[in-house]
Amino acid sequence: MAFASFDGKKGGAPLAEINMVPLIDVMLVLLVIFIVTAPLLSHSVKLELPKASATVMSAKAEKVDLSIDADGVRYWNGTALSREEAAARFTVEAEKQPQPEIHLRADQAVPYRAVAETLADASRAGLSKIGFVTDPAPGAAPVPATPPAKR
């Protein structure tokens, strides 16, 4: 674009027209890019997929409350038992389908050895769904048991 010239006749009057050539060049480049990439975006294999229906599995896994008190005594759903009896029950529960969820509640004063032995026994039996249950800290917001519904 020229705004002034060295010609003395026209003086300092600016040109009032738009140069369309660069605009057309940019539009042509964009058109070429679109023409090249458009077939790549819509390229797919035509398939006729089979139709099938399935029922929703409603088998709910049961839960087992396993507690360990400050003395290291284990409780299976409130019933006291030894480490060997707990290991035997872990083996029985591991064979069920679906496997139950083990909710482990351990007193804060229990030696870590009792918790580690219990986890090792459950793992050796083949149980994988083990969760630690704690009391929420004072002033902490409660965690919802189920995720909130989507809107």
Side-chain angles (χ1 to χ4, degrees):
M1 259 200 226
F3 292 104
S5 68
F6 293 111
D7 187 13
K9 297 179 194 170
K10 294 185 180 176
L15 278 173
E17 59 186 62
I18 297 175
N19 191 356
M20 295 295 289
V21 174
L23 181 62
I24 293 171
D25 288 345
V26 169
M27 293 303 292
L28 288 174
V29 168
L30 290 175
L31 180 65
V32 168
I33 290 172
F34 178 73
I35 290 172
V36 169
T37 58
L40 298 176
L41 298 175
S42 64
H43 182 70
S44 64
V45 177
K46 302 289 183 196
L47 296 176
E48 291 210 22
L49 298 175
K51 308 278 188 279
S53 63
T55 59
V56 178
M57 291 181 57
S58 62
K60 196 81 165 170
E62 65 181 61
K63 72 172 188 161
V64 174
D65 285 323
L66 183 71
S67 303
I68 306 174
D69 67 5
D71 297 326
V73 178
R74 292 160 179 82
Y75 295 90
W76 187 279
N77 290 333
T79 306
L81 47 83
S82 68
R83 177 182 175 198
E84 293 75 21
E85 292 171 331
R89 288 195 185 184
F90 284 146
T91 305
V92 170
E93 296 295 321
E95 294 172 359
K96 293 183 179 178
Q97 288 302 326
Q99 286 187 347
E101 297 175 0
I102 307 296
H103 293 192
L104 181 60
R105 301 171 192 267
D107 190 278
Q108 64 182 358
V110 71
Y112 181 69
R113 169 186 280 166
V115 176
E117 289 171 349
T118 303
L119 290 175
D121 292 342
S123 178
R124 193 175 306 114
L127 292 171
S128 60
K129 297 178 181 176
I130 303 171
F132 290 94
V133 180
T134 61
D135 287 330
V143 177
T146 57
K150 294 182 181 179
R151 296 180 187 178

